[in-house]
Amino acid sequence: MRICWVSLQTSPDFDAPRALASAGHAVSVLVRPSTTAPDCGATVLHLDDTGAEATLERGMQGAYELSRRVHRTILDAGEAFDYIEIPVEQGLGYVTVREQHLLRTHGATAVGIRLGMPEVERRTAASQLHLISASERQVCVLEDDSMRHADGLIGPCEDVLASVRTRLERSEGTYRWADAQQYVAAVEQLVRETRDHPGTCASGGRATDALVSVVIPFYREPLDVLSAAVESALTQSHEAVELLVVDDGSPLPDKDTILTRVAARDSRIRVLHKPNGGLASARNHAIEAASGDYLLFLDADNELRPEYVETGLRAFARHSDLMAVTPECRHYHKRKGDGGLYRPLPYDHTLAIYRNVFGDAGSMFRTAAFREHGLRYDPDVDIYSDWAIWLDCARLGLRFEPLPRTLFDYRVHGDSMMSTRAFDEHISVLALLIERHAPAFTPEESRRVLTTLADGWGVGACLATLAPIEAVEFSPGRFARTIYGGGFTARILDRAGRAAERSPLVAKLGRSIARSTLRMHRWRQRKHRGSE
């Protein structure tokens, strides 16, 4: 077999690839450039880690970037590997596993995640004690997703595997090894089983005839901006698309000229008119008029990459229960240039109401998600309607997945809805978002949500807990309303907290106090209940 074994440790233990090579397998080891090559006859692949140390300081973004570099290095090797093994630490296998899970990018290759006793035990203990910060929790999501969707998990003892199986509710594809011979046997068994069961495929992995409706709400974008969005939809590698440009009561005096010129561009374009109701309302209007089996929502100031629709359809074709995909997007400024990547994460209850980390404007859905399950965008939380749609999907049990590819470009400018309204309306809209859309939480999940909110909101959360603490029970909704509700005291304390957080030292101290305050409150609740 051809095997790629990954380790980014400074001084890795090469016993595993040595054992595989001794068993007659062709082994490639992927290591950092500074790592000394092993003496087992393996081919050495060097990771491009230029600037990676600085990137790692940024938590999830750094871990995600290293995961992407691992995946890119494996692809650039040009080998058709039978088996790829990546350690669980820092979610290094996230992109490789997700690409394989959704798109089978590596064909019939088996992808295994290697578990280590110290890392698993540390994560488990920290989670039980609610000591994981918001940024670290996002890295945990990458790790958990890698373990959940890998073809197999390789662990040194049953205790480690049992811990992961219980937490992730995964019963298949776990292999224990205690010595070199058992390790090689476990890898060979995993490869055989993956070949026998190569993954879900609903319709051969292709959907070449599917019609996709691209929805573009229009309000006051200039002709050149709207035309760029339309052009990006028309030039998709998958040509079976229709464009629904929704005139949301545009106030522009030349809107008729703009829309006439856009409609004349291609026969696949339809223009819909409605009174002004906001972005969510315009999307809902188009949902009713769409003819496609799939819906792709594109804001008028953004642009799609040419392969977006084709890539999304590949994922849908492989997974019949998949209702939506949300890709990465690159932010860019007209004057400042590249604004970095937005990388959505798999859904996680703990992060549900922390911030929208699950997908931005520009996601692709099965039309059935709206027609059969009643899913709609909420006009009352217009600035967070994308966030609300993911919470609704979670509440309704509709599966949605992030695609680890950059498939559209997001224009950042001062006139956008997020730039002009998000800060002023954040307090009231967040409370409504939680009240109306947040899924139910178990007590254990609620405690983790509280800790994440306190850590993420920092000093503001700490100060706002001074507003009636008795309302801060195990309900995240009550906690959020205490902080961001209509009360004047909570608003003043939150603004004071935001101002204080301009000092990194004060912000760090505030986060620590906020988390301690919540833990003390929970301890008092347990003590009070125990005395009843």
Side-chain angles (χ1 to χ4, degrees), residues 81-85 93 96-102 104-113 145-154 170-175 186-187 189-200 318:
F81 293 111
D82 298 290
Y83 177 64
I84 299 170
E85 183 177 300
T96 302
V97 169
R98 184 147 282 278
E99 283 271 355
Q100 190 70 342
H101 169 60
L102 288 177
R104 279 288 158 187
T105 305
H106 298 275
T109 301
V111 180
I113 293 296
D145 191 75
S146 301
M147 291 187 288
R148 184 175 287 113
H149 295 300
D151 293 306
L153 304 178
I154 301 286
R170 172 171 181 156
S171 59
E172 78 292 341
T174 55
Y175 307 87
V187 169
Q189 180 183 352
L190 171 54
V191 172
R192 286 195 301 270
E193 291 180 355
T194 302
R195 287 173 177 170
D196 293 339
H197 306 283
T200 304
R318 292 199 61 87

Side-chain angles (χ1 to χ4, degrees), residues 413-444:
H413 55 89
D415 295 332
S416 69
M417 181 175 66
M418 293 303 295
S419 299
T420 58
R421 295 171 53 190
F423 183 84
D424 292 338
E425 298 180 20
H426 174 76
I427 292 174
S428 58
V429 174
L430 181 62
L432 182 59
L433 179 85
I434 294 171
E435 183 72 18
R436 186 178 292 178
H437 298 280
F441 297 99
T442 66
E444 180 66 19

Side-chain angles (χ1 to χ4, degrees), residues 8 18 31 37 46 113 154 166 173 206 231 240 254 269 284 288 325 341 364 372 432 457 467-468 476 518-519 531:
L8 299 189
R18 189 173 291 113
V31 295
H46 283 134
I113 293 296
I154 301 286
T166 300
R206 306 185 67 187
E231 185 68 18
D254 59 342
I269 300 174
N284 290 338
E288 302 300 329
V325 293
L341 283 172
M364 186 173 175
E372 298 177 11
L432 182 59
W457 293 347
L518 287 170
R519 292 194 188 101
S531 63

Side-chain angles (χ1 to χ4, degrees), residues 216-233 243 245 252 254 258-259 261-262 298-304 332 334 409-413 415-416:
I216 307 179
F218 164 73
Y219 184 57
R220 56 183 178 187
E221 290 77 15
L223 177 60
D224 62 328
V225 172
L226 177 61
S227 296
V230 169
E231 185 68 18
S232 74
L243 274 66
V245 179
L252 296 179
D254 59 342
I258 292 175
L259 293 173
R261 292 181 63 178
V262 166
L298 172 65
D299 289 354
D301 49 0
N302 298 337
E303 298 174 32
L304 304 177
Y332 70 98
K334 184 176 182 180
D409 296 291
Y410 184 103
R411 187 190 304 264
V412 180
H413 55 89
D415 295 332
S416 69

